[in-house]
Amino acid sequence: MKSSYAAPVDDFLTAIEDAAVTRCDAWANDCLLDATVPNRRFRRRGADEIRAVYAEWFAHPNTLVGVRRWPIPEGEIIEYVHRFTGPEGPREAHHLHVLEVADGRIVADTVFCGGQWSDAQRAEMDGA
């Protein structure tokens, strides 16, 4: 079931798939990104700052696998695995976003990322 906040979330997911986050207009100008990634946590404020982070994370077209979306009163929670091929070869990463939406834009994005995994790392994890 899609939430009433689905439009900017849809735009964000499409931008990830298309490696088009620099052209994505899903974020409010004062949006706060709170990102937890392997061994660190950081914050960025503003749509342009968020686009810059995500332009690095999603620099190549992605296939989203296992997308799950949960509506919450203030927006959506989304989970997915994104697969892409970059200069280091095929990669995969697992993300979970808690997105707050107001006035048709994402106003807060709390994201958890498990890091990027190579095919060899995925095989090792699958075998464990």
Side-chain angles (χ1 to χ4, degrees):
M1 176 175 122
K2 284 198 174 188
S3 75
S4 60
Y5 300 117
V9 178
D10 291 342
D11 292 347
F12 175 42
L13 293 173
T14 298
I16 291 170
E17 290 177 311
D18 297 342
V21 293
T22 58
R23 297 186 306 275
C24 184
D25 196 28
W27 302 280
N29 288 333
D30 63 344
C31 183
L32 176 64
L33 172 68
D34 183 351
T36 301
V37 298
N39 301 314
R40 72 180 248 229
R41 179 180 178 192
F42 65 91
R43 292 182 174 173
R44 298 290 183 271
R45 181 164 301 273
D48 290 338
E49 291 289 320
I50 294 167
R51 283 186 200 97
V53 169
Y54 285 156
E56 289 182 33
W57 289 15
F58 307 116
H60 308 283
N62 288 269
T63 300
L64 298 180
V65 179
V67 176
R68 297 192 307 164
R69 297 171 68 164
W70 299 272
I72 57 175
E74 52 281 317
E76 282 194 40
I77 297 171
I78 57 173
E79 176 192 19
Y80 57 83
V81 170
H82 73 100
R83 292 182 180 155
F84 64 97
T85 300
E88 298 86 22
R91 292 287 185 267
E92 182 175 284
H94 186 201
H95 290 182
L96 184 122
H97 297 259
V98 179
L99 301 171
E100 294 178 39
V101 178
D103 299 323
R105 298 279 188 266
I106 299 169
V107 297
D109 179 355
T110 302
V111 61
F112 302 90
C113 171
Q116 293 182 6
W117 313 313
S118 66
D119 284 346
Q121 289 168 311
R122 279 188 27 235
E124 184 179 316
M125 288 184 280
D126 290 344

